Amino acid sequence: MSKTVRIVTDSTAVITSGERKRYGIHVVPLKVIFGKEVYTEGNDISNEEFYRRLSRGDIPTTSHPAKADFIEVYHKLINEGNAILSIHMPSKLSGTVSTAQAARAELPGAAIEIIDSLTIALAMLVVPAAQAAANGKSLSQLKESIEKLNATVYTVGVLNTLEYLRKGGRIGRARALLGSMLRIKPLLSFQKDEVQVLGKARTTRKAIQELVKFVDRNIKGDIPVHIAVVYTSDSKPAESLKDQLESRFNCGKLDPLQLGPVLATHIGPGFFGIGFYSEKEWRPE
């Protein structure tokens, strides 16, 4: 008889409290740091407080979880007789995956698999994994299925500024835009764990149109598509984008979700974007 699989992720995954409770998802938090003040994402600093401090000019940094944080969660779940699928933000953006791997090495023989996501739309991997685990899929089945999904998720967004990516050293191929940032909004892809330039728009309205066109180019016909709309400090563009996506694609009702402090530290205020995949590319087995 196969073990029950529990899903572990990190706090950059935008998962509702209802989803966490329903599927028993365990979240290992990252840290956000203002000077000498260290806060645990999702626990002792709210989104409201974080964005308030960001708006007044406070510049934060971030830190991935300690190995001991992972060991504590893994040890508890293993002792309860579970297997673990641990899904985390891209290793090119954070040391979270390597720390999770170091923790697994401290528990030899434990049934733990770790997935290095290729997208910052982490919840689009975590929630389907948790749903499949609840339906009794084995650890090997889950790992194979979610790795397929991992390769199909598109993540695209609009930055209000490149300054935060630059400060964090994660600007990658978007560096070419630095000299032309006045009065433009860069459209970037976070696909396959690196930042790539898709184009530029001069207004928010035009940027929204370009995101919708991007989905249209990759989703043909009335195929069901799973979409997450996210934003950092301003929900209005996300709401407008949501309305256009709902009216154009077979995606059901969308509820824009606010990104937390760690991702916002690197992409800055004013960001909005989407993660999506179609059922033609991946569907639960």
Side-chain angles (χ1 to χ4, degrees):
M1 182 177 178
S2 62
K3 297 180 179 181
T4 298
V5 181
R6 298 298 182 189
I7 306 301
V8 176
T9 189
D10 61 68
S11 58
T12 63
V14 185
I15 299 171
T16 66
S17 58
E19 288 168 334
R20 289 176 64 171
K21 292 176 182 177
R22 180 178 180 182
Y23 299 114
I25 300 170
H26 294 259
V27 178
V28 180
L30 279 77
K31 303 289 195 302
V32 60
I33 305 159
F34 286 101
K36 295 182 179 180
E37 302 172 76
V38 181
Y39 298 96
T40 303
E41 184 175 44
N43 292 331
D44 51 18
I45 185 168
S46 66
N47 284 1
E48 292 75 17
E49 171 65 10
F50 172 81
Y51 286 110
R52 184 184 66 79
R53 295 192 64 165
L54 204 63
S55 69
R56 73 184 190 195
D58 292 353
I59 304 299
T61 58
T62 62
S63 175
H64 59 73
K67 181 172 70 173
D69 296 333
F70 278 106
I71 291 175
E72 181 181 358
V73 173
Y74 289 167
H75 194 266
K76 176 179 182 295
L77 292 174
I78 293 298
N79 282 349
E80 292 172 351
N82 302 296
I84 297 169
L85 184 66
S86 202
I87 309 170
H88 301 287
M89 68 185 299
S91 59
K92 284 190 177 180
L93 300 179
S94 168
T96 302
V97 165
S98 62
T99 306
Q101 292 169 337
R104 180 179 59 183
E106 297 287 329
L107 300 167
I112 302 172
E113 294 286 356
I114 297 170
I115 290 181
D116 180 358
S117 72
L118 300 177
T119 173
I120 62 170
L122 194 52
M124 302 207 81
L125 305 181
V126 172
V127 174
Q131 291 170 335
N135 289 330
K137 297 297 183 182
S138 69
L139 181 58
S140 60
Q141 289 172 325
L142 274 172
K143 184 173 185 289
E144 181 181 4
S145 179
I146 299 305
E147 283 184 336
K148 289 179 181 177
L149 175 57
N150 194 18
T152 68
V153 175
Y154 292 92
T155 314
V156 292
V158 179
L159 293 181
N160 194 48
T161 173
L162 283 170
E163 187 64 15
Y164 290 83
L165 279 179
R166 185 190 67 79
K167 287 178 179 177
R170 293 171 170 86
I171 198 164
R173 296 183 184 179
R175 186 176 302 279
L177 288 176
L178 278 174
S180 60
M181 269 299 295
L182 292 178
R183 298 182 299 279
I184 70 160
K185 296 182 180 297
L187 280 70
L188 303 180
S189 167
F190 298 87
Q191 182 101 5
K192 297 186 178 178
D193 70 13
E194 65 178 24
V195 179
Q196 299 183 12
V197 180
L198 292 178
K200 296 177 268 187
R202 294 200 174 276
T203 66
T204 298
R205 183 179 64 84
K206 183 63 175 176
I208 291 171
Q209 291 175 352
E210 291 300 318
L211 290 185
V212 173
K213 287 179 183 178
F214 183 87
V215 180
D216 198 41
R217 287 195 297 271
N218 290 281
I219 303 296
K220 303 302 181 183
D222 196 39
I223 297 169
V225 55
H226 299 264
I227 304 178
V229 179
V230 297
Y231 65 96
T232 54
S233 58
D234 184 2
S235 64
K236 291 180 181 178
E239 290 288 347
S240 179
L241 176 59
K242 171 197 84 93
D243 291 342
Q244 293 195 38
L245 293 169
E246 286 179 345
S247 67
R248 186 156 184 167
F249 301 101
N250 182 5
C251 60
K253 181 175 172 56
L254 304 174
D255 294 313
L257 297 170
Q258 187 175 44
L259 297 177
V262 170
L263 284 177
T265 294
H266 300 295
I267 59 181
F271 171 88
F272 62 95
I274 53 174
F276 69 95
Y277 64 90
S278 75
E279 289 195 3
K280 181 179 180 180
E281 298 294 328
W282 186 91
R283 67 181 63 193
E285 298 174 358

